[in-house]
Structures are given as structure tokens and as C-alpha cells.
Amino acid sequence: MKGSLSFFLISLVAILLGTCRGGELRKHFYEETCPEAEDIVQKIIWENVALNSTLPAKFLRMHFHDCFVRGCDASVLIDSTASNSAEKDSIPNQTVGGFDVIEEVKTELEKKCPGIVSCADIVALATRDSVSFQFEKPLWEVLTGRRDGRISLVSEANSQIPPPSFNFSQLKQSFASKGLTVHDLVVLSGGHTIGVGHCNFFSRRLYNFTGKGDADPSLDSTYAAFLRTKCRSLADNTTIVEMDPGSGMDFDNNYYKILRQNKGMFQSDAALLTDNGASNIVDELLDPAKFFTEFAQSMERLGAVGVLTGTSGEIRKKCNVVTIVIAGKATELISQHVMMVKESGKFSKTAEIADCLTSSQIRGRSHSLTLRRMWTWLPKIWIMTKRYNVPVATGVAGRGIDIPDVAHVINYDMPGNIEMHTHLIGRTGRAGKLV
Ligand code: HEM
């Protein structure tokens, strides 16, 4: 009995982990709903890369940055608004580009099959197709079925995308927090075989490594002298330098060769040689065939980090804006705003909402509670003042309840479809008040 219970629990954990990792991603997810989707993406991406050879590096970095914040949910594509600073405005994303090309693909797909193909899948496919352009065939398989997130916070991008100053244990921890191994870390760092770095991300290694006007001793001194001819001062934040000298446009395993010569551009590159296990993996990847096989596998794992699938999230209409669901005829009357807030331990659990929702609320009477319980999502101006009458309702309680004199409805979780939206905003919203 004990044995079967343990087996049940282990299976349950395995199923749950499986869900977090890969969800329901599968090959050719759009086969039935939009059979041309993958061809359309490839065509537009290849046309653009033919005109602009810097795009593969841009998409590869964009995909990595997307997947490291809230999973691969295209949150990196969302624009900031008056009430929200989005991931795009974070320090690491200032130099990410290619957003216009993603939008071009999305526009075309919306014409062919409206509301079907997610922006998150477009980023994953665009990355694969752009990097594969030089080989004229796909370098790795992209499973599809991702959905788009509705939250994008600058603070999360700043804290979750690893900076180039990270040492090995910080990198290992960062990747582990996304379910990725040291092996993935070393293999995916091989992405630095293409593209450029801005001087300000590595010039401390050239001019002031320990604060005494010195250079990083782990950087090859001839290469450091060369880099100083490019980056003339610590203040230079505009000059760009190829990360894989002489081979920065070719997707190959040359990164590991230069790494072994102590010519990795960032401290985070050099850090891979400071751990025996990681350093052994660097040696293995000096074999090109091994690199291509391993890179393909690690990209699939990266592309599955924290994905939203099934009915989670949404399929955005435009990749740079979260869709506000249109609520029927009264739409023109309703003023709708989206406010993104970081989930707080204090108010993240449905149980806590249900706790506030006393039976009196279900009977339709408004319920008084202190605002401190709700501080995570009410506008700051309301915090810590006095007691207000604030009715709190779960989705179930929200159905059909008419509470007079309610001026605002705040949906803590954005509903994914019009029906649910209409239920949740209730008569308040449909009467043209603020949602
Ligand atoms: C391991 C931790 C990583 C760190 C600390 C890191 C850091 C950086 C930094 C600082 C830049 C230069 C950005 C600029 O100057 O504009 C860069 C560029 C780049 N990174 Fe990473 N990166 C890491 C991992 C990855 C991974 C996993 C990938 C993809 C698989 C990747 C792909 C790229 C590419 C392609 C570029 C060039 C972008 C361009 O030319 O526009 N990086 N990275």
C-alpha cells in the first residue's frame, strides 16, 4: 500500500514537472488550423535575413530573453504603456532588435488565419529559421502550441536575464531556475558564435577589472589590446564588436575554439572555463557534429521553458499589445485599462480570495474588508487609508450578481474570452463604468 502510494506520488510529481517543462507542445501544432503557418514564417524570415544578416543573432537573443522571463510567452514583445514598464525597456533588452520583422510575420498570419498562431511560436520559429538560413534547411525542430502571456514587467527582465558579469555559480543557478542544466548552459552559450557585443558590457575587463585600472587576467592580453583599440574608454556604450572574431556571421562551433584561447568576450563566457565539468563540455563541443546535435537539443529545451499551453494565456492580435477582450455592444461606453502587477505571495492564492469572499458576499451584500489585504492590486492612492467597502468575488460569485453603486471593476486575472470577461465585469462594466 505504502509502495503504491509512493509510486502514485512520484508519478504525480513527474506529470506535474512534465507539464511545467513541455506542456502540450507538439510537432506541427497548426497542421489543421493554419497549415501554411510554418511556411509563411520561413518565407518572411528568409526574405528579411537575405537583406539583413544581423537578424539571426537578434532573434536568437530575443528568444533566449523571452524564455527566461515568464517562460517563452512572447512577453518580451509587449510595449510599455502609461501604467506599465514592460520587459522591452529593461537594460538587457535595450539592444534586442527584430521586433518589426516579428510584427510583419504576425500581420501576414492574421490575414491568413486570424487568432490562431501565437507570437510566442512565431519567435521560436523565426529564431530557428533565421539561424538556419545559411544552411538552407532547418537546424533544429521547433515544437509548437505555445500561447502568449499577458504580463510583461521591466523589473522581472532586469532580475532574471543573466548579466555578462555573472560567475559560474551564478550562471548555473540562473539556468537551473529555468529547469536547464550546466550542459544546456555551455551548449547555449555557443549562441555567442554569432552577433556582436557593445563595449560597455565588457570594457571593465579591459580597463578597470578590480578597480585599480587593470585588465582581467583571464582575458588573452593580445586580444584585450585589440579590444582596447575598438572600445576607447569605459564610457563607450555605442561601439559594437563581433563576439566570435572573424566568424561572427557564421553559425558554427568556433566560439569554443576562441573560448579555449581565452578570447571569450564576457566574464560569463570566461566563467565556463572555471568549472571542471563545464570546461570538459567546452572540449567536447570542439567537435562540430557534436555541437550541432547538442545545440538542437538544448534549443528545444530552452523553447519549452515555462510555456503556456491549452487555454492559458491568449493568442494576441498584435504581438506588441496585450489584447483587452471586447465586451459586446457596450464597449464604447466602457473605459478599460490593463495594469500589470507582480504576483505577491500575499494575494496570489485563490484560497485567499475565497477567504475574503464570505457567504454574505455570495448573497449579494457588499462586504467590508481592510484594504491592506488587497494592497498588491489596488491603486497606490487607496492603500493604508481607511476602510472601504470593497466587494471581492471569485469567477463563480461574479456571475449574475448585481451590486448597486459599484463604480470600478478590477479583474485580478485577465479573462481569456469574451464570455468570461462579460461575466466578470458584470453589470457595472456593461453599464459603462470603469473596468
Ligand atoms: C549564459 C548567459 C548569457 C549572458 C550573460 C549573455 C550576455 C550577452 C550580452 C551582454 C550580449 C551583448 C549584447 C549587446 O551588446 O547588445 C549578448 C549577445 C548575444 N547573446 Fe548572449 N548571453 C548569455 C546567453 C545567451 C544564450 C543562451 C543565447 C542563445 C542561445 C545568447 C545569444 C546571444 C546572441 C545571438 C547575441 C548577439 C546579439 C546581437 O548581435 O544582436 N546568449 N549576450
Side-chain angles (χ1 to χ4, degrees), residues 263-279:
K263 294 177 183 169
M265 181 169 270
F266 307 120
Q267 268 170 275
S268 55
D269 296 315
L272 302 181
L273 302 178
T274 62
D275 173 82
N276 280 344
S279 177

Side-chain angles (χ1 to χ4, degrees), residues 78-237:
I78 295 173
D79 285 343
S80 292
T81 60
S83 61
N84 181 62
S85 294
E87 290 172 30
K88 242 184 204 176
D89 284 342
S90 66
I91 296 163
N93 285 333
Q94 296 288 311
T95 50
V96 172
F99 298 109
D100 52 335
V101 180
I102 298 291
E103 217 57 65
E104 186 184 335
V105 174
K106 178 64 174 172
T107 306
E108 194 55 32
L109 285 170
E110 284 298 301
K111 274 188 216 154
K112 288 273 161 31
C113 2
I116 299 292
V117 185
S118 70
C119 299
D121 276 343
I122 296 175
V123 172
L125 291 165
T127 302
R128 190 265 313 269
D129 292 340
S130 61
V131 174
S132 304
F133 176 73
Q134 73 179 91
F135 302 93
E136 295 179 15
K137 64 172 190 310
L139 273 191
W140 61 86
E141 191 154 62
V142 172
L143 303 183
T144 38
R146 295 170 192 77
R147 289 171 62 87
D148 301 326
R150 296 198 187 93
I151 295 178
S152 178
L153 300 168
V154 67
S155 55
E156 292 185 343
N158 278 330
S159 62
Q160 292 179 31
I161 297 170
S165 55
F166 263 15
N167 63 28
F168 181 75
S169 60
Q170 291 168 316
L171 290 170
K172 181 178 170 182
Q173 159 60 29
S174 161
F175 274 59
S177 72
K178 306 295 167 193
L180 298 172
T181 62
V182 166
H183 196 266
D184 293 315
L185 163 65
V186 180
V187 171
L188 292 172
S189 293
H192 288 179
T193 178
I194 48 172
V196 294
H198 286 74
C199 290
N200 52 305
F201 286 122
F202 59 90
S203 51
R204 223 170 55 83
R205 301 186 80 199
L206 310 176
Y207 292 110
N208 200 18
F209 190 58
T210 62
K212 295 177 190 150
D214 52 344
D216 182 348
S218 73
L219 183 64
D220 177 85
S221 55
T222 315
Y223 186 52
F226 163 75
L227 290 175
R228 278 191 291 269
T229 66
K230 299 273 179 192
C231 308
R232 306 310 291 249
S233 77
L234 273 173
D236 182 348
N237 60 3

Side-chain angles (χ1 to χ4, degrees), residues 237-268:
N237 60 3
T238 50
T239 308
I240 50 170
V241 185
E242 260 186 326
M243 290 191 288
D244 180 359
S247 169
M249 286 294 179
D250 292 326
F251 188 82
D252 55 24
N253 71 331
N254 206 48
Y255 168 79
Y256 300 98
K257 294 184 195 154
I258 58 133
L259 200 56
R260 268 275 159 251
Q261 298 161 6
N262 297 321
K263 294 177 183 169
M265 181 169 270
F266 307 120
Q267 268 170 275
S268 55

Side-chain angles (χ1 to χ4, degrees), residues 262-303:
N262 297 321
K263 294 177 183 169
M265 181 169 270
F266 307 120
Q267 268 170 275
S268 55
D269 296 315
L272 302 181
L273 302 178
T274 62
D275 173 82
N276 280 344
S279 177
N280 288 340
I281 302 170
V282 168
D283 286 341
E284 284 172 26
L285 297 168
L286 289 167
D287 170 2
K290 180 112 183 142
F291 168 66
F292 281 106
T293 311
E294 299 291 338
F295 195 82
Q297 286 171 7
S298 287
M299 279 307 289
E300 277 188 46
R301 288 163 59 76
L302 175 67

